[in-house]
Amino acid sequence: MLPKLIVIAGTNASGKSDLGVKLAKHYGGEIVSADSRQVFRRLDLGSGKISPEEMDGVPHHLLDICDPGDFFSMADFQRLAYEAIDDIIARGKPAFLVGGTGLYVDSVADGYILSNKMPDLAYRAKLEEMSTEALYRMLMQQRPDCDVERRNRNRVMRLLEKLHDGDDVIPTKKPRYEVLRLGVTWPREILCQRIDERMTRRFAEGMLEEVQSLLDDGVSPTFLLKLGLEYRIITQYLTGVIDTREELETLLGTSIKQFAKRQMTWFRRNEEIHWLDMQADPFGEACQLIEAFL
């Protein structure tokens, strides 16, 4: 029988981190973060990283484990997540995988068999010179059946690199855990309002200054641009590509909402996710599902 894992996945600004803390605290569990940007130290406000106060004493794993600019792959994440989850379970506690990076969540929950090959940096440099549209066309020529958002530059590049390395873009799976998947989101108009409110709050807390500090300390603008969303758009503003603060905020709000829509497209494909009613009693609903699962 496989050990059990509880997944709480959802969109930006949905409240998944807060719900994860309440549930983990209630069941005496620990949380493994599944976020591709929160693994980096000093990427706090821009990544929406949970604060020590918000953790409310619940242990969190895979936050702040590498420096900005370090190479960190999905295979690195999966390996460290397996180690953390296995350790939590070995200590007799429930493990909660909480996050919004769909690929990271699925790599662990579905048990992707991943290659540990080092990237071909020369090939990556060649891809970097191409437009996103050209990269997408190149991918479709090689794998027309590949399901990927055409504007997701990083994902398209990673798939091309996998094909270049001789890997299949559709990973084989060997599940390591029995998984309960809980989904967190809101009706679109409410989610958009939550995104706007959170963005205003994070600017007030110093999100702009966070990115300026990273640039001042020598973190590569290229690295920050690749991170997307807040880091990409704020870096463009601070380096003069975007002219005004008003343009920055409008562009960022629109980009986060578009990203949340893509997150939902990714998660909605999985029929095993139980979508919680966030306007009713999501904690009580989740507890019923967890108790039946455990």
Side-chain angles (χ1 to χ4, degrees):
M1 204 163 80
L2 297 175
K4 296 188 174 186
L5 172 68
I6 299 159
V7 167
I8 303 172
T11 54
N12 269 356
S14 62
K16 60 186 175 294
S17 299
D18 180 53
L19 181 63
V21 166
K22 287 176 181 170
L23 290 168
K25 195 173 181 76
H26 183 70
Y27 289 101
E30 299 183 11
I31 289 173
V32 176
S33 168
D35 189 289
S36 61
R37 302 186 302 173
Q38 294 180 9
V39 296
F40 294 102
R41 299 180 191 95
R42 300 180 61 195
L43 271 59
D44 302 328
L45 291 168
S47 71
K49 192 180 294 172
I50 190 169
S51 69
E53 296 75 33
E54 290 166 334
M55 290 180 191
D56 198 19
V58 173
H60 281 62
H61 305 264
L62 270 60
L63 297 174
D64 299 326
I65 56 173
C66 53
D67 290 322
D70 287 352
F71 177 75
F72 189 86
S73 68
M74 184 167 70
D76 294 325
F77 170 79
Q78 186 196 56
R79 174 176 51 80
L80 294 172
Y82 280 162
E83 288 174 8
I85 292 165
D86 292 348
D87 175 61
I88 294 164
I89 293 169
R91 289 185 279 110
K93 298 186 173 190
F96 291 79
L97 183 68
V98 180
T101 302
L103 266 175
Y104 279 24
V105 171
D106 288 353
S107 73
V108 172
D110 291 336
Y112 288 179
I113 304 296
L114 299 174
S115 161
N116 286 315
K117 292 177 185 172
M118 288 301 290
D120 180 338
L121 298 179
Y123 184 67
R124 177 173 293 179
K126 178 183 164 189
L127 296 180
E128 288 281 13
E129 294 173 1
M130 298 171 65
S131 70
T132 303
E133 187 59 37
L135 291 169
Y136 182 77
R137 283 199 305 270
M138 183 175 167
L139 178 61
M140 288 301 103
Q141 286 167 0
Q142 296 184 44
R143 281 301 301 264
D145 61 332
C146 187
D147 183 13
V148 62
E149 161 62 45
R150 70 188 303 138
R151 291 186 297 271
N152 188 339
R153 181 179 179 85
N154 281 352
R155 178 76 180 127
V156 172
M157 280 184 61
R158 293 297 83 80
L159 292 173
L160 283 168
E161 287 185 286
K162 283 173 72 71
L163 290 169
H164 175 74
D165 291 341
D167 292 342
D168 194 353
V169 297
I170 302 170
T172 51
K173 300 172 183 177
K174 186 179 180 183
R176 188 160 170 153
Y177 309 105
E178 183 184 349
V179 180
L180 171 67
R181 301 170 191 257
L182 304 178
V184 180
T185 192
W186 297 79
R188 179 151 180 80
E189 63 279 4
I190 297 177
L191 182 63
C192 287
Q193 184 183 345
R194 289 175 63 91
I195 287 169
D196 288 337
E197 289 170 355
R198 188 175 79 155
M199 191 177 76
T200 299
R201 189 168 63 248
R202 285 154 77 191
F203 272 121
E205 290 169 351
M207 182 163 62
L208 211 61
E209 291 78 6
E210 174 177 290
V211 181
Q212 184 65 65
S213 172
L214 291 164
L215 289 167
D216 290 345
D217 290 344
V219 174
S220 162
T222 303
F223 169 75
L224 294 171
L225 291 168
K226 278 186 184 177
L227 291 172
L229 293 178
E230 294 87 349
Y231 293 102
R232 175 173 61 84
I233 293 171
I234 292 174
T235 297
Q236 288 175 328
Y237 171 69
L238 292 173
T239 56
V241 177
I242 294 171
D243 293 328
T244 67
R245 175 72 179 256
E246 182 183 12
E247 187 184 351
L248 158 69
E249 294 187 12
T250 301
L251 189 57
L252 183 53
T254 301
S255 296
I256 295 172
K257 288 162 194 167
Q258 289 171 341
F259 179 68
K261 187 177 178 182
R262 292 199 297 273
Q263 285 178 303
M264 279 308 300
T265 300
W266 177 276
F267 289 126
R268 288 278 188 213
R269 295 182 305 184
N270 192 323
E271 294 177 359
E272 293 179 12
I273 296 179
H274 300 268
W275 290 99
L276 302 173
D277 185 349
M278 298 300 288
Q279 295 173 284
D281 177 20
F283 177 79
E285 187 183 354
C287 286
Q288 285 187 330
L289 291 164
I290 290 170
E291 277 154 31
F293 176 68
L294 295 177

